[in-house]
Amino acid sequence: MECDPIGHVETPFDTTGEAPRQGFLGEQSGTVHVDEPFRRGLTGFAPGDSVLVVWWADDADRSVLRVREGDRGVFTTRSPARPNPVCLTTCELIAVDEDAGTLEVAGVDMADGSPLLDLKRTLEASGEGAPP
Amino acid sequence: MECDPIGHVETPFDTTGEAPRQGFLGEQSGTVHVDEPFRRGLTGFAPGDSVLVVWWADDADRSVLRVREGDRGVFTTRSPARPNPVCLTTCELIAVDEDAGTLEVAGVDMADGSPLLDLKRTLEASGEGAPP
C-alpha cells in the first residue's frame, strides 16, 4: 500500500531518539504543515482540540521485532522502530490557519521534517464515548 | 512511503460501511492474523490487553476531503475515507497464539480481509500515563 505524504511536521528534534518517548511527556511545541491540495480537509479544527497526528518515522529501523533486550515484542510497545513505522502522537491544537495549512501543536515527539500521513480527531474528542 | 502488510484482519463485515463507526460501539469479535516473519513481535501480549490495531481501508475513497454535507474537514473525523486510509481500532485481546500468529479480539470495525499494518500497545496501557 502506497502512502503519499499530505505534508510534514516541524519540531525541535533532529531524530526520534532525541524526542520524548511520548509527546505528552514533553512540553515542546511544533508546527504541522499540510500541503495545499489537502487543506480543505482541515475545516472544523479549533484551538484546544485534541488532534491525533499520524506520521512516518523516516529514520526507523524496520527490521526490529524485539525490544528491551529481546524480551518484548515490538507490537506490544509504541517504539517508532517497527516494520511499518506509522506513528501516532496526540497533540493539543494551539492555533490553526486553514489557508496556510499550518497547525501549531503542543506535545510533539516527531523528528523534524517527518512526513505527515494523516490527522484524526481523537476518540475522546469524537463525542462517541471512550472504549470500554 | 511503502507500507507492507504484516497480516490481515478477519471480521464479520464485508465492507467498512457495514461496520460500526467505531469498534467499541459494537460487540463483534474477529481475528487478527499476523504473517509468519512478524510473529516474534507478538511476545508480551496477554488476554485482557488493550491493543491498537492499525489497518488499511482497502475500499476507501481516497479523494474525500469534506464530510457531512461538506461542512466538516475529513481530518477532524475518524472516517475511513481519507487520503491515506490508515485506520485505528482499539480492541480488547481475548486470546493470543504467538506461534499461529492469531489474536482473537473484541470490538472490531474493519472490513473482512483488511490488510494489517501494525499493532501497538494503547497509550492508556503503556504505563506512561494519559495525555493531558
Side-chain angles (χ1 to χ4, degrees):
Chain A
M1 283 87 45
E2 184 64 29
C3 283
D4 302 311
I6 62 167
H8 69 279
V9 188
E10 182 186 340
T11 76
F13 311 114
D14 283 338
T15 66
T16 49
E18 281 179 29
R21 272 211 298 166
Q22 301 294 337
F24 60 83
L25 295 179
E27 295 293 319
Q28 295 287 359
S29 61
T31 306
V32 175
H33 295 268
V34 176
D35 294 339
E36 200 282 326
F38 304 103
R39 291 177 191 165
R40 292 182 62 246
L42 297 174
T43 303
F45 276 129
D49 282 351
S50 185
V51 180
L52 192 61
V53 180
V54 184
W55 54 283
W56 184 263
D58 254 341
D59 60 356
D61 177 352
R62 298 180 67 173
S63 70
V64 173
L65 288 175
R66 292 277 181 96
V67 296
R68 304 186 196 168
E69 273 110 68
D71 289 341
R72 280 279 291 277
V74 73
F75 300 127
T76 73
T77 76
R78 306 273 296 190
S79 164
R82 50 181 57 241
N84 287 309
V86 173
C87 296
L88 309 172
T89 306
T90 300
C91 293
E92 184 190 350
L93 185 56
I94 308 298
V96 55
D97 183 331
E98 193 177 324
D99 292 334
T102 53
L103 298 89
E104 273 183 70
V105 293
V108 294
D109 65 356
M110 311 82 165
D112 187 41
S114 293
L116 178 69
L117 299 184
D118 198 10
L119 298 166
K120 292 183 196 292
R121 180 128 320 194
T122 57
L123 272 187
E124 295 68 26
S126 68
E128 291 167 18
Chain B
M1 283 88 44
E2 186 63 30
C3 282
D4 302 311
I6 61 167
H8 69 279
V9 188
E10 182 187 341
T11 76
F13 310 115
D14 282 338
T15 65
T16 49
E18 280 179 29
R21 274 211 296 166
Q22 302 293 337
F24 60 82
L25 295 180
E27 295 294 318
Q28 297 285 0
S29 60
T31 306
V32 175
H33 296 269
V34 176
D35 294 340
E36 199 281 326
F38 305 103
R39 291 177 192 165
R40 291 182 65 244
L42 297 174
T43 303
F45 276 129
D49 282 352
S50 184
V51 180
L52 191 60
V53 180
V54 184
W55 53 284
W56 183 264
D58 253 342
D59 62 354
D61 177 352
R62 299 181 65 173
S63 69
V64 173
L65 288 174
R66 292 278 181 95
V67 295
R68 305 187 195 168
E69 273 109 68
D71 288 342
R72 281 277 291 278
V74 73
F75 299 127
T76 73
T77 77
R78 306 273 294 192
S79 164
R82 48 182 57 242
N84 287 310
V86 173
C87 296
L88 310 172
T89 306
T90 300
C91 293
E92 184 189 349
L93 185 56
I94 307 298
V96 57
D97 183 332
E98 193 178 325
D99 292 334
T102 53
L103 297 88
E104 272 184 69
V105 294
V108 295
D109 65 357
M110 312 80 167
D112 186 43
S114 294
L116 177 70
L117 298 184
D118 198 9
L119 297 166
K120 292 182 197 292
R121 181 130 316 197
T122 57
L123 271 186
E124 295 69 24
S126 68
E128 292 168 16

